[in-house]
Amino acid sequence: MTYRTVPLGSVCRLIGGGTPSKANSASYGGNIPWATVRDMKADLISETELSITEEAVRTSATNILPAGTVVIATRVGLGKVCIVERATAINQDLRGLVPFKADEVHSRFLFWWLKSIAHLIVAQGTGATVQGVKTPFVASLPFPKIAMAEQQRIVAILDETFGGIAATASRTEAALENAVSLSAATIESLAASDGANTSVRSVGELIGQGVLERISDGNHGEIHPTKDEFVPQGVPFVMASDLRDGRVDQEGCRFISEARARSLRVGFARDGDVLLSHKGTIGRVAILSTGRPYVMLTPQVTYYRVKDRTTLLPQYLYYALRGRKFQEQLREIAGLGSTRAYIGITRQLDLLLTIPSIGEQERLATIFDQVDREVQLLERALTGKLALLAELKQSLLARAFSGELTREPIAA
């Protein structure tokens, strides 16, 4: 069955928003919630970061939408759809859709329909810096014109089924988060089990005792390579984002030429080095294995190079840096006196590591390797399940508005 369609603008009034002047401090801090795309969370605008005064509503182009109004982002966040929980003013990136006749358009039917075509709206976005669509385009969208009873039937099925999908996705995400933290918890509990043979030493002490070479990150300042110097192939130029799942992404990373790499002063990482991200994204850890003479680090990444392998094993060090206590140290230091997460080389010297006997390190590294393999298998399975749930949602929405939705809710 194919539903008859009419232009959306013939059944709904499209209400635009505006932004009060930031120069006028009296515009903000009133009792009227004022929503931007950042407030569109979990399909609902329930709270807003800012509120405005009644005077700001009158003097700006914004409008107050009644509770239950469906909102779509037409510029920043293009295609996002939400429902406002209470009367809310909106900014210029949003449009509210208020049915001309409440008994002809069910608000949640409108919401689900817009969700089903959001990808088509995004595909029509234009603009040099921010992609957006015009109000006339939104008004021309072909809205399914069907009886209220049929709208209610579809809404009931979608609400129930998507609620089940959301619950399943939430449980899956929680299981995924637990799987990711499992290795860290195992590292911490087992590393402390060596009793009298375990010592706690700072990175600085390990360097002073000749266990570690002096740690180093990439080149700062004017000598730092710029994006204009990136080449399709060459020496990997490793950023924090390139540290993934304990390894360095050697295909998706940036590259610089051999000549440019040789001109640099520091940041030459070699196979066996343990890498730690310390700027922007804090606490990612990888052990380097490339088969190359070296790779270059950016100032976002530090290498830890073991000098005395009779005292410390690189593989154990890799897991120790991933341990919960070590990661907590990173977060505590990174949060002090900085608006952007950063732990310089000097501060890293104070970080503490738990060092058991070399025999215990070998045993623990073997255990951690096995735990890692099991966790990775679980992660892949859970990530695959989340992908299947996302596909189910899109399939369900497509069927709902093509007249193919069954009369019984579909199990998630």
Side-chain angles (χ1 to χ4, degrees):
M1 177 175 62
T2 302
Y3 295 132
R4 181 174 71 88
T5 63
V6 297
L8 178 61
S10 69
V11 293
C12 288
R13 182 163 61 99
L14 275 66
I15 301 175
T19 299
S21 171
K22 292 184 178 179
N24 184 1
S25 59
S27 296
Y28 297 91
N31 59 357
I32 301 172
W34 182 70
T36 70
V37 70
R38 289 185 300 182
D39 301 308
M40 301 176 76
K41 300 173 182 177
D43 298 337
L44 192 68
I45 299 178
S46 56
E47 295 182 0
T48 60
E49 293 183 6
L50 297 172
S51 59
I52 59 177
T53 63
E54 294 182 6
E55 176 64 20
V57 174
R58 287 193 296 269
T59 58
S60 68
T62 193
N63 290 283
I64 299 177
L65 304 178
T69 300
V70 178
V71 173
I72 184 169
T74 56
R75 188 170 172 270
V76 177
L78 179 61
K80 290 191 71 173
V81 184
C82 272
I83 294 178
V84 296
E85 191 173 47
R86 56 178 175 151
T88 302
I90 56 175
N91 83 335
Q92 72 274 10
D93 296 325
L94 309 180
R95 294 292 181 274
L97 296 111
V98 178
F100 290 123
K101 297 180 179 180
D103 60 350
E104 287 187 354
V105 178
H106 193 295
S107 62
R108 288 199 63 79
F109 180 84
L110 176 61
F111 164 79
W112 287 122
W113 170 71
L114 284 170
K115 295 276 282 188
S116 75
I117 63 167
H119 63 291
L120 301 176
I121 295 173
V122 172
Q124 295 299 314
T126 60
T129 55
V130 178
Q131 297 289 297
V133 294
K134 303 291 187 182
T135 298
F137 168 77
V138 179
S140 70
L141 292 170
F143 179 74
K145 180 73 165 154
I146 61 177
M148 178 58 72
E150 177 66 0
Q151 292 185 43
Q152 291 171 336
R153 182 188 74 85
I154 291 172
V155 166
I157 294 174
L158 293 179
D159 281 351
E160 181 176 346
T161 306
F162 272 74
I165 291 174
T168 301
S170 179
R171 290 192 298 270
T172 304
E173 288 167 353
L176 182 57
E177 185 176 339
N178 289 336
V180 171
S181 65
L182 177 60
S183 290
T186 304
I187 290 166
E188 221 61 70
S189 62
L190 293 181
S193 66
D194 202 23
N197 294 319
T198 298
S199 63
V200 177
R201 295 184 243 179
S202 71
V203 172
E205 288 175 323
L206 291 169
I207 293 171
Q209 294 163 0
V211 178
L212 289 175
E213 292 190 13
R214 182 167 295 279
I215 60 176
S216 177
D217 59 0
N219 296 266
H220 295 251
E222 293 182 1
I223 198 172
H224 179 273
T226 64
K227 64 181 181 180
D228 295 336
E229 297 175 288
F230 295 157
V231 295
Q233 292 183 328
V235 178
F237 189 51
V238 180
M239 304 179 184
S241 59
D242 299 320
L243 275 54
R244 300 176 183 174
D245 300 323
R247 297 291 180 265
V248 174
D249 181 1
Q250 301 178 56
E251 297 180 358
C253 67
R254 302 288 190 178
F255 297 90
I256 57 176
S257 68
E258 289 276 358
R260 185 66 176 97
R262 289 194 297 270
S263 74
L264 298 174
R265 183 176 59 84
V266 295
F268 295 82
R270 300 199 299 260
D271 281 359
D273 289 351
V274 180
L275 307 184
L276 173 70
S277 65
H278 67 265
K279 184 177 182 181
T281 301
I282 297 292
R284 290 190 179 186
V285 183
I287 190 163
L288 194 59
S289 178
T290 65
R292 298 171 178 269
Y294 63 87
V295 304
M296 295 306 305
L297 303 183
T298 67
Q300 301 176 349
V301 181
T302 303
Y303 71 67
Y304 284 65
R305 183 173 298 155
V306 176
K307 189 175 183 180
D308 177 8
R309 298 197 179 196
T310 65
T311 302
L312 181 62
L313 296 177
Q315 192 70 9
Y316 173 79
L317 176 62
Y318 161 69
Y319 287 112
L321 296 190
R322 288 174 49 188
R324 184 170 295 169
K325 288 184 179 178
F326 188 85
Q327 291 289 321
E328 287 174 353
Q329 292 180 75
L330 295 179
R331 288 191 292 272
E332 182 178 355
I333 294 174
L336 296 177
S338 175
T339 56
R340 186 181 182 195
Y342 174 71
I343 306 174
I345 295 295
T346 302
R347 294 304 305 273
Q348 290 182 55
L349 299 178
D350 297 327
L351 295 169
L352 300 175
L353 287 165
T354 300
I355 311 294
S357 65
I358 198 70
E360 185 68 358
Q361 289 181 44
E362 291 175 346
R363 186 182 75 86
L364 292 175
T366 300
I367 294 173
F368 298 154
D369 283 344
Q370 180 61 34
V371 171
D372 246 8
R373 284 191 290 270
E374 293 176 0
V375 168
Q376 287 171 13
L377 287 173
L378 182 57
E379 282 184 298
R380 283 196 288 271
L382 294 174
T383 301
K385 184 173 183 179
L386 288 173
L388 288 174
L389 289 173
E391 290 178 10
L392 174 60
K393 289 165 68 174
Q394 284 304 117
S395 172
L396 184 59
L397 286 174
R399 290 165 56 192
F401 300 102
S402 62
E404 299 175 7
L405 193 61
T406 60
R407 293 190 175 274
E408 295 299 326
I410 300 170

